[in-house]
Amino acid sequence: ESKYATKETSKCKKAVCLPTFLSVLIVISLPKGHPDDIFPMVLTSATQKLFGCLADEDVTGESPYKLLKKDDIIQDIKTRAAVSDFSPVKQTVLDYPEDEILLVFDRDFTYDQCFYLALTPEAKKRILNPPEPETPEVLENEVNKTPEPRKWIPQGSEQEVEKESVKETREKLCFKCSIVRRKFGAPVCFSDRNAADTKDAFLECPSYEDSRFSIKQMQRDCGIQAVPKLWSSSAQTQWYVLNNKSTQYMPREQSDEERESILKSKSLKNFLNSVTPRVLHALQQTEIMNVFIDDWKALGAGNDDSDFFGQVSEGLMLFRALSDQMHTKNKKISCVNWHPTIYGIIAVALTEKKKEQLNESTKVDVRPSLIIFYSFSDTSGPQLLLECPDDIFAFEFCPSDPNIVVGGCINGQVVLWDISAHVTHLQGTQAGGKKSSINPDTFDLDDNKEKKTPIVCYCAVSSIESGLKAPITDVQWLPPTFEVTRTGLAVENKSNLSIQVVTCSPEGSIMFWDVRATKLSRHSASGKKQKADQKSQMAPFSVPDTFKHLDQTWKPLFRDGEIVYADWKLLKDDSGRLNSEKPLHCSSIHHWIVNTVQRSPFFKDIILTVGAWDFAIWREGVMGGPIIQSPSSEQVYTVGCWSLSRPAVFFLGKEDGSIEVWNLLAKTGAPVQVYAHVTKAKITCIKPWTASTCKFTASVVPNLESISMKHYLFYYVVVLLCYTTESNIRTCLTKCKSFGAE
Amino acid sequence: MAEVEETLKRIQGQKGVQGIIIVNSEGIPIKTTLDNASTMQYAGLLHQLVMKARSTVRDIDPQNDLTFMRVRSKKNEIMIAPDKDYFLIVIQNPSD
């Protein structure tokens, strides 16, 4: 009836084909959706003109309401009867109670038509005056309502839908199957069967590559994206503590101009003026005296650490022993002397061991008499041999020229040697031990050590007639400052050389010998010695007929010569007159022979005399007697000597071979120390020597005099005592070892 | 200038004097009789020493001040006469 009736609801078709495709086509039917009291209608344009409600002219979207008179509508219906647009609502209009009916222009086609008519006055009211408070509820109701379907407006998607959809391209095939009649009514079971289960159940046409043509893909779209390659890395600087490895700097200097300007400046002048006195004062102070010097150290304590007040060791220690088999057999040592300048050289005079020394030339022994030089450093054998015409009792080195040796023979002759040719040899032994470079003979390696030591012959000897008849018992050089003239006066020696020799003998004569002239004739081996001698006769006292040693010591100072002459009595003589002078003084303190007279090296007027049984200390000028006289000892003193380093110490040798050390500061009544039986024989000679800080005392002992065994192997002993100065006295004693048999 | 020379000669004429250096207050040598290397050494080292000594003296008694300094060694003696602006350094070998 109405054109705008709802669309025909098409039935849902379900197309079921034998294949498994299934498609569903659903057509939506639009339901009727307007209220009952509103009647949507279409007004023709003629009607619109008639009633003055032209669409979009009289009634617009803003004012869509038009009130139409009821009479007009009835009139229109009467005139146009069935053609009138209002004919469907004729009855309603007739029944309308009011006069005006609302016509609404439905521009938006909300009720599917252009216009609609409000059929009841309530609707009219309602439309004209929409109730406001009801609107939210109305809206909610409308929201909750399912949206009304609208007309499908195709956009073009139906083509794709159609493309995709499956349509039947032919009629369905219909198969009719019937079973045999007899199985009618029987239950039937239908089941499915897969087409692939049975062979040949179906035919397929697979696709294959047609070989008639091949399509090469010439172009292909591919997408490329540039991707930046990223990787991350890191670096870390290590932070060390900063410190300077090295610094280099330069001293600041000033330029020359600055220096010049400063030097000229006044302030510098003032400074120097003010400062100079102090500086000069200080300079002078240091010049005058060194305040920091250590006096104690400077005193020369040397190697010794011990203090001065410590124990003074007075021991004597054996230092060196020398022995010589060949030369000293059967011999006695009469005198020993140190070489004055060469350290470590000792000269030894040997004599025949005889009971009767006064006998001359009855010796059976054909060996020549010798003075033998020995060296500390070369202990192999003698270094030098001095030939003597006869046995020597006493010899001395010349104090001013150590190369000249004078000796007094047993027959009264005075002999001179000059060893200057062999000094280097002696010094060579001193320096390095067994230096054999000088003497090639020493390479001889004989077992008995027979080295050819050089032999020096005497260069001058006094004539036998002019000499003494008795053996010379002592020889002394006059000090260099002193000489005695022909007439016996002592005068000053201008040449400062020791040129005169004094000899004495038991017959009571003292002879002065002058060696000057012999210097001209040195090279003649047997030149006669000119003697300008003074013979001074002393009134001899009765000389006991025994052998005696005489030591004569001279004043080291230059003074009028006083000769201390010791016989078995002590005699004194005053100034220089030697001729037939009577002795001033004589005393017979020593009841036996006097064997040693020696001045103290420290005190010029103290004299030590050693007699047989005692010793005495005298002072010059004191005529009454000795200052000190020792008590008698049990044994015979044979020799004595002062210590060179300590003023109150002297050494005495005894007959039994022991050495006594006396220290007058410590004890005056007894020896401080006794070294008993140092040697087996008596000690005949003690000579002190200084060598650096050590003092050597050579004491020569002829042994075996007291031993009367014949077949005894003789040996001589060189006893050396050495001791140091100052606090520590280390005295050394050397003892010779005996060769062979005991 | 001549006076300076004369004074230095007087000092140099003393027995045992090995060298003289005049140093300013910063330790830079002004005049010397030694060679350059020794001078630099002496100047630098002694300057510090004198500063130290002077500060010591003044610390103990602020009224006090250093007037003279002698350094005695094994081999020689160094004498320093300080002043406000300059030092005079003399090196002497003692008599013995």
Side-chain angles (χ1 to χ4, degrees), chain A residues 494-546:
Chain A
K494 298 225 174 45
S495 65
N496 226 19
L497 299 168
S498 286
I499 48 163
Q500 291 187 334
V501 177
V502 179
T503 61
C504 66
S505 72
E507 65 184 9
S509 61
I510 297 177
M511 297 183 93
F512 288 82
W513 303 81
D514 194 320
V515 303
R516 253 176 309 196
T518 62
K519 284 184 183 163
L520 301 171
S521 64
R522 180 172 296 180
H523 299 290
S524 66
S526 60
K528 285 275 172 77
K529 183 169 173 234
Q530 300 173 12
K531 47 182 179 20
D533 52 348
Q534 302 281 334
K535 286 193 185 164
S536 62
Q537 298 281 340
M538 301 292 294
F541 284 85
S542 56
V543 172
D545 206 19
T546 51

Short mmCIF file of all heavy atoms in Angstrom, two decimals, chain A residues 494-546:
data_model
loop_
_atom_site.label_atom_id
_atom_site.label_comp_id
_atom_site.label_asym_id
_atom_site.label_seq_id
_atom_site.Cartn_x
_atom_site.Cartn_y
_atom_site.Cartn_z
N LYS A 494 183.05 20.56 63.81
CA LYS A 494 182.32 21.42 62.89
C LYS A 494 181.63 20.64 61.78
O LYS A 494 180.70 21.11 61.18
CB LYS A 494 183.30 22.44 62.27
CG LYS A 494 183.93 23.33 63.29
CD LYS A 494 183.93 24.75 62.84
CE LYS A 494 184.44 25.66 63.95
NZ LYS A 494 185.65 25.19 64.65
N SER A 495 182.12 19.49 61.55
CA SER A 495 181.55 18.78 60.39
C SER A 495 180.31 17.99 60.74
O SER A 495 179.69 17.39 59.88
CB SER A 495 182.60 17.84 59.79
OG SER A 495 182.88 16.84 60.76
N ASN A 496 180.00 17.95 61.97
CA ASN A 496 178.77 17.29 62.38
C ASN A 496 178.73 15.81 62.02
O ASN A 496 177.69 15.24 61.78
CB ASN A 496 177.55 18.00 61.77
CG ASN A 496 176.49 18.19 62.83
OD1 ASN A 496 176.78 18.13 64.00
ND2 ASN A 496 175.28 18.39 62.39
N LEU A 497 179.88 15.26 61.95
CA LEU A 497 179.91 13.83 61.69
C LEU A 497 180.69 13.17 62.81
O LEU A 497 181.64 13.75 63.34
CB LEU A 497 180.62 13.52 60.37
CG LEU A 497 180.03 14.09 59.11
CD1 LEU A 497 181.00 13.95 57.96
CD2 LEU A 497 178.73 13.37 58.77
N SER A 498 180.27 11.98 63.07
CA SER A 498 181.06 11.26 64.07
C SER A 498 182.34 10.79 63.43
O SER A 498 182.32 10.01 62.47
CB SER A 498 180.26 10.05 64.56
OG SER A 498 179.25 10.47 65.39
N ILE A 499 183.38 11.28 63.91
CA ILE A 499 184.64 10.93 63.26
C ILE A 499 185.64 10.30 64.20
O ILE A 499 186.70 9.88 63.79
CB ILE A 499 185.29 12.17 62.63
CG1 ILE A 499 185.29 13.30 63.65
CG2 ILE A 499 184.55 12.58 61.38
CD1 ILE A 499 186.22 14.40 63.31
N GLN A 500 185.31 10.26 65.42
CA GLN A 500 186.33 9.77 66.33
C GLN A 500 185.77 8.65 67.15
O GLN A 500 184.60 8.59 67.49
CB GLN A 500 186.84 10.90 67.23
CG GLN A 500 187.63 11.91 66.43
CD GLN A 500 188.29 12.93 67.32
OE1 GLN A 500 187.79 13.19 68.41
NE2 GLN A 500 189.40 13.49 66.85
N VAL A 501 186.65 7.80 67.45
CA VAL A 501 186.28 6.58 68.14
C VAL A 501 187.13 6.49 69.40
O VAL A 501 188.32 6.81 69.37
CB VAL A 501 186.54 5.35 67.24
CG1 VAL A 501 186.22 4.08 67.98
CG2 VAL A 501 185.70 5.46 65.99
N VAL A 502 186.52 6.04 70.39
CA VAL A 502 187.26 5.83 71.64
C VAL A 502 187.26 4.35 71.94
O VAL A 502 186.23 3.69 71.82
CB VAL A 502 186.58 6.60 72.80
CG1 VAL A 502 187.32 6.36 74.08
CG2 VAL A 502 186.52 8.07 72.47
N THR A 503 188.32 3.89 72.26
CA THR A 503 188.39 2.48 72.65
C THR A 503 189.02 2.41 74.03
O THR A 503 189.80 3.27 74.42
CB THR A 503 189.25 1.67 71.67
OG1 THR A 503 190.56 2.20 71.69
CG2 THR A 503 188.66 1.74 70.28
N CYS A 504 188.67 1.34 74.63
CA CYS A 504 189.28 1.14 75.93
C CYS A 504 189.62 -0.32 76.10
O CYS A 504 189.06 -1.17 75.41
CB CYS A 504 188.35 1.59 77.05
SG CYS A 504 186.87 0.56 77.13
N SER A 505 190.44 -0.57 76.92
CA SER A 505 190.86 -1.96 77.09
C SER A 505 191.18 -2.20 78.56
O SER A 505 191.36 -1.27 79.33
CB SER A 505 192.08 -2.24 76.22
OG SER A 505 193.21 -1.59 76.76
N PRO A 506 191.28 -3.47 78.91
CA PRO A 506 191.49 -3.76 80.33
C PRO A 506 192.84 -3.30 80.83
O PRO A 506 193.04 -3.22 82.04
CB PRO A 506 191.39 -5.28 80.40
CG PRO A 506 190.68 -5.71 79.18
CD PRO A 506 190.94 -4.67 78.16
N GLU A 507 193.73 -3.03 79.92
CA GLU A 507 195.02 -2.60 80.44
C GLU A 507 194.96 -1.15 80.91
O GLU A 507 195.96 -0.61 81.33
CB GLU A 507 196.09 -2.75 79.36
CG GLU A 507 195.85 -1.84 78.18
CD GLU A 507 196.85 -2.09 77.10
OE1 GLU A 507 197.59 -3.07 77.20
OE2 GLU A 507 196.89 -1.28 76.17
N GLY A 508 193.83 -0.59 80.80
CA GLY A 508 193.67 0.70 81.43
C GLY A 508 193.90 1.87 80.52
O GLY A 508 194.10 2.99 81.00
N SER A 509 193.89 1.63 79.25
CA SER A 509 194.15 2.78 78.39
C SER A 509 192.92 3.09 77.57
O SER A 509 192.17 2.21 77.17
CB SER A 509 195.32 2.48 77.46
OG SER A 509 194.99 1.37 76.65
N ILE A 510 192.77 4.34 77.35
CA ILE A 510 191.69 4.79 76.48
C ILE A 510 192.34 5.46 75.30
O ILE A 510 193.21 6.31 75.45
CB ILE A 510 190.79 5.81 77.19
CG1 ILE A 510 190.12 5.13 78.40
CG2 ILE A 510 189.74 6.35 76.26
CD1 ILE A 510 189.28 6.08 79.21
N MET A 511 191.91 5.05 74.20
CA MET A 511 192.52 5.62 73.01
C MET A 511 191.45 6.26 72.15
O MET A 511 190.36 5.73 72.00
CB MET A 511 193.24 4.53 72.21
CG MET A 511 194.39 3.92 72.99
SD MET A 511 195.24 2.72 72.00
CE MET A 511 196.50 3.70 71.29
N PHE A 512 191.81 7.36 71.62
CA PHE A 512 190.92 8.07 70.71
C PHE A 512 191.43 7.86 69.30
O PHE A 512 192.59 8.09 69.02
CB PHE A 512 190.90 9.56 71.02
CG PHE A 512 190.19 9.87 72.28
CD1 PHE A 512 190.83 9.76 73.50
CD2 PHE A 512 188.86 10.26 72.26
CE1 PHE A 512 190.16 10.06 74.67
CE2 PHE A 512 188.21 10.56 73.42
CZ PHE A 512 188.84 10.46 74.64
N TRP A 513 190.56 7.46 68.47
CA TRP A 513 190.93 7.22 67.09
C TRP A 513 190.16 8.17 66.20
O TRP A 513 188.97 8.39 66.38
CB TRP A 513 190.61 5.78 66.69
CG TRP A 513 191.26 4.76 67.56
CD1 TRP A 513 190.86 4.34 68.76
CD2 TRP A 513 192.44 4.04 67.25
NE1 TRP A 513 191.73 3.40 69.26
CE2 TRP A 513 192.71 3.19 68.35
CE3 TRP A 513 193.34 4.03 66.17
CZ2 TRP A 513 193.79 2.34 68.38
CZ3 TRP A 513 194.41 3.16 66.21
CH2 TRP A 513 194.65 2.33 67.30
N ASP A 514 190.83 8.67 65.21
CA ASP A 514 190.18 9.57 64.26
C ASP A 514 190.04 8.83 62.93
O ASP A 514 191.01 8.31 62.41
CB ASP A 514 191.02 10.83 64.06
CG ASP A 514 190.23 11.91 63.35
OD1 ASP A 514 189.46 11.59 62.40
OD2 ASP A 514 190.34 13.07 63.77
N VAL A 515 188.87 8.80 62.46
CA VAL A 515 188.64 8.05 61.22
C VAL A 515 188.56 8.94 60.01
O VAL A 515 188.29 8.50 58.92
CB VAL A 515 187.36 7.20 61.30
CG1 VAL A 515 187.42 6.26 62.47
CG2 VAL A 515 186.16 8.10 61.41
N ARG A 516 188.82 10.17 60.20
CA ARG A 516 188.66 11.06 59.05
C ARG A 516 189.59 10.71 57.93
O ARG A 516 189.22 10.69 56.78
CB ARG A 516 188.90 12.50 59.47
CG ARG A 516 187.69 13.34 59.55
CD ARG A 516 188.02 14.69 60.03
NE ARG A 516 188.80 14.64 61.26
CZ ARG A 516 188.96 15.67 62.05
NH1 ARG A 516 188.37 16.79 61.76
NH2 ARG A 516 189.72 15.58 63.13
N ALA A 517 190.79 10.53 58.31
CA ALA A 517 191.76 10.32 57.25
C ALA A 517 191.47 9.05 56.48
O ALA A 517 191.82 8.94 55.31
CB ALA A 517 193.16 10.31 57.82
N THR A 518 190.86 8.16 57.13
CA THR A 518 190.65 6.91 56.43
C THR A 518 189.61 7.05 55.34
O THR A 518 189.43 6.18 54.52
CB THR A 518 190.19 5.82 57.40
OG1 THR A 518 188.94 6.24 57.95
CG2 THR A 518 191.17 5.64 58.49
N LYS A 519 188.94 8.10 55.36
CA LYS A 519 187.94 8.23 54.30
C LYS A 519 188.59 8.38 52.95
O LYS A 519 188.01 8.06 51.93
CB LYS A 519 187.04 9.43 54.56
CG LYS A 519 186.06 9.10 55.64
CD LYS A 519 185.08 10.21 55.88
CE LYS A 519 184.18 9.79 57.03
NZ LYS A 519 183.46 10.87 57.62
N LEU A 520 189.80 8.87 52.97
CA LEU A 520 190.44 8.98 51.67
C LEU A 520 190.89 7.62 51.17
O LEU A 520 190.92 7.36 49.99
CB LEU A 520 191.65 9.91 51.76
CG LEU A 520 191.33 11.32 52.23
CD1 LEU A 520 192.62 12.07 52.50
CD2 LEU A 520 190.51 12.03 51.19
N SER A 521 191.24 6.87 52.08
CA SER A 521 191.77 5.57 51.68
C SER A 521 190.78 4.47 51.97
O SER A 521 191.13 3.38 52.36
CB SER A 521 193.09 5.32 52.42
OG SER A 521 192.81 5.23 53.81
N ARG A 522 189.59 4.73 51.72
CA ARG A 522 188.57 3.75 52.06
C ARG A 522 188.67 2.51 51.21
O ARG A 522 188.37 1.41 51.62
CB ARG A 522 187.19 4.37 51.91
CG ARG A 522 186.08 3.39 52.26
CD ARG A 522 184.77 4.08 52.28
NE ARG A 522 184.75 5.08 53.33
CZ ARG A 522 183.71 5.85 53.57
NH1 ARG A 522 182.66 5.75 52.81
NH2 ARG A 522 183.73 6.73 54.54
N HIS A 523 189.02 2.74 50.02
CA HIS A 523 188.91 1.62 49.09
C HIS A 523 190.09 0.68 49.16
O HIS A 523 190.08 -0.37 48.55
CB HIS A 523 188.76 2.14 47.66
CG HIS A 523 187.53 2.96 47.53
ND1 HIS A 523 186.30 2.39 47.59
CD2 HIS A 523 187.36 4.29 47.40
CE1 HIS A 523 185.39 3.35 47.46
NE2 HIS A 523 186.01 4.52 47.35
N SER A 524 191.06 1.12 49.87
CA SER A 524 192.16 0.16 50.00
C SER A 524 191.83 -0.78 51.13
O SER A 524 191.45 -0.38 52.21
CB SER A 524 193.46 0.90 50.27
OG SER A 524 193.40 1.53 51.54
N ALA A 525 191.94 -1.96 50.81
CA ALA A 525 191.45 -2.95 51.74
C ALA A 525 192.27 -3.01 53.00
O ALA A 525 191.74 -3.16 54.09
CB ALA A 525 191.42 -4.33 51.07
N SER A 526 193.51 -2.88 52.84
CA SER A 526 194.32 -3.07 54.04
C SER A 526 195.15 -1.83 54.33
O SER A 526 196.27 -1.92 54.77
CB SER A 526 195.23 -4.29 53.86
OG SER A 526 196.06 -4.05 52.73
N GLY A 527 194.54 -0.71 54.03
CA GLY A 527 195.29 0.51 54.28
C GLY A 527 195.48 0.72 55.77
O GLY A 527 194.61 0.44 56.58
N LYS A 528 196.60 1.16 56.03
CA LYS A 528 196.84 1.39 57.43
C LYS A 528 196.03 2.58 57.88
O LYS A 528 195.84 3.54 57.17
CB LYS A 528 198.34 1.71 57.64
CG LYS A 528 199.26 0.53 57.54
CD LYS A 528 199.32 -0.18 58.89
CE LYS A 528 200.09 -1.48 58.72
NZ LYS A 528 201.53 -1.26 58.64
N LYS A 529 195.66 2.43 59.01
CA LYS A 529 194.83 3.50 59.52
C LYS A 529 195.73 4.55 60.14
O LYS A 529 196.60 4.25 60.93
CB LYS A 529 193.90 2.93 60.57
CG LYS A 529 192.94 3.91 61.13
CD LYS A 529 191.90 3.16 61.95
CE LYS A 529 191.06 4.18 62.62
NZ LYS A 529 190.93 4.08 64.01
N GLN A 530 195.50 5.74 59.73
CA GLN A 530 196.28 6.79 60.38
C GLN A 530 195.61 7.13 61.67
O GLN A 530 194.40 7.30 61.74
CB GLN A 530 196.32 8.04 59.48
CG GLN A 530 196.94 7.80 58.14
CD GLN A 530 196.77 9.02 57.29
OE1 GLN A 530 196.39 10.07 57.80
NE2 GLN A 530 197.04 8.90 56.01
N LYS A 531 196.34 7.18 62.55
CA LYS A 531 195.68 7.53 63.78
C LYS A 531 196.22 8.86 64.28
O LYS A 531 197.41 9.09 64.36
CB LYS A 531 195.87 6.44 64.82
CG LYS A 531 197.28 5.95 64.96
CD LYS A 531 197.32 4.86 65.99
CE LYS A 531 198.67 4.26 66.20
NZ LYS A 531 199.84 4.89 65.84
N ALA A 532 195.28 9.61 64.51
CA ALA A 532 195.62 10.84 65.23
C ALA A 532 195.00 10.67 66.58
O ALA A 532 193.89 11.08 66.84
CB ALA A 532 195.05 12.06 64.52
N ASP A 533 195.69 10.02 67.33
CA ASP A 533 195.04 9.60 68.56
C ASP A 533 195.69 10.28 69.75
O ASP A 533 196.83 10.71 69.72
CB ASP A 533 195.13 8.09 68.70
CG ASP A 533 196.55 7.61 68.54
OD1 ASP A 533 197.38 8.43 68.11
OD2 ASP A 533 196.81 6.46 68.82
N GLN A 534 194.90 10.30 70.61
CA GLN A 534 195.36 10.86 71.86
C GLN A 534 195.51 9.72 72.82
O GLN A 534 194.60 8.93 72.98
CB GLN A 534 194.32 11.85 72.40
CG GLN A 534 193.99 12.98 71.46
CD GLN A 534 195.06 14.01 71.52
OE1 GLN A 534 195.76 14.13 72.54
NE2 GLN A 534 195.25 14.74 70.44
N LYS A 535 196.54 9.70 73.30
CA LYS A 535 196.67 8.66 74.31
C LYS A 535 196.53 9.31 75.65
O LYS A 535 197.24 10.24 75.99
CB LYS A 535 198.05 8.00 74.20
CG LYS A 535 198.16 7.11 73.00
CD LYS A 535 199.38 6.25 73.09
CE LYS A 535 199.47 5.48 71.80
NZ LYS A 535 200.78 4.90 71.61
N SER A 536 195.59 8.82 76.23
CA SER A 536 195.42 9.36 77.56
C SER A 536 195.61 8.23 78.54
O SER A 536 195.01 7.16 78.41
CB SER A 536 194.03 9.97 77.69
OG SER A 536 193.07 8.98 77.50
N GLN A 537 196.45 8.52 79.36
CA GLN A 537 196.71 7.47 80.33
C GLN A 537 195.99 7.81 81.59
O GLN A 537 196.06 8.91 82.09
CB GLN A 537 198.22 7.40 80.60
CG GLN A 537 199.02 7.06 79.36
CD GLN A 537 198.95 5.58 79.09
OE1 GLN A 537 198.65 4.82 79.98
NE2 GLN A 537 199.24 5.19 77.85
N MET A 538 195.30 6.88 81.93
CA MET A 538 194.67 7.05 83.21
C MET A 538 195.49 6.28 84.23
O MET A 538 196.04 5.22 83.91
CB MET A 538 193.23 6.49 83.18
CG MET A 538 192.37 7.15 82.16
SD MET A 538 192.05 8.85 82.57
CE MET A 538 191.07 8.59 84.02
N ALA A 539 195.51 6.85 85.26
CA ALA A 539 196.24 6.11 86.30
C ALA A 539 195.46 4.85 86.60
O ALA A 539 194.33 4.89 87.10
CB ALA A 539 196.34 6.98 87.55
N PRO A 540 196.01 3.81 86.21
CA PRO A 540 195.22 2.60 86.37
C PRO A 540 195.19 2.16 87.82
O PRO A 540 196.15 2.29 88.55
CB PRO A 540 195.95 1.59 85.50
CG PRO A 540 197.36 2.06 85.48
CD PRO A 540 197.35 3.52 85.68
N PHE A 541 194.02 1.75 88.06
CA PHE A 541 193.91 1.10 89.34
C PHE A 541 194.14 -0.37 89.13
O PHE A 541 194.23 -0.85 88.03
CB PHE A 541 192.53 1.35 89.94
CG PHE A 541 192.41 2.73 90.51
CD1 PHE A 541 192.08 3.78 89.68
CD2 PHE A 541 192.67 2.96 91.83
CE1 PHE A 541 191.99 5.05 90.20
CE2 PHE A 541 192.58 4.22 92.35
CZ PHE A 541 192.23 5.27 91.54
N SER A 542 194.28 -0.95 90.20
CA SER A 542 194.54 -2.38 90.04
C SER A 542 193.33 -3.02 89.36
O SER A 542 192.20 -2.93 89.82
CB SER A 542 194.76 -3.01 91.41
OG SER A 542 193.67 -2.76 92.26
N VAL A 543 193.69 -3.57 88.29
CA VAL A 543 192.60 -4.12 87.48
C VAL A 543 192.50 -5.60 87.79
O VAL A 543 193.47 -6.32 87.68
CB VAL A 543 192.91 -3.90 86.00
CG1 VAL A 543 191.91 -4.63 85.13
CG2 VAL A 543 192.91 -2.42 85.70
N PRO A 544 191.42 -5.98 88.17
CA PRO A 544 191.28 -7.41 88.42
C PRO A 544 191.42 -8.19 87.14
O PRO A 544 191.14 -7.71 86.06
CB PRO A 544 189.88 -7.54 89.01
CG PRO A 544 189.19 -6.30 88.69
CD PRO A 544 190.21 -5.25 88.48
N ASP A 545 191.86 -9.32 87.34
CA ASP A 545 192.25 -10.09 86.17
C ASP A 545 191.07 -10.86 85.57
O ASP A 545 191.17 -12.00 85.19
CB ASP A 545 193.35 -11.08 86.60
CG ASP A 545 194.20 -11.43 85.39
OD1 ASP A 545 194.16 -10.66 84.42
OD2 ASP A 545 194.86 -12.45 85.44
N THR A 546 190.05 -10.20 85.54
CA THR A 546 188.89 -10.87 84.96
C THR A 546 188.35 -10.08 83.78
O THR A 546 188.64 -8.92 83.58
CB THR A 546 187.76 -11.00 86.00
OG1 THR A 546 187.53 -9.71 86.54
CG2 THR A 546 188.14 -11.98 87.06
#
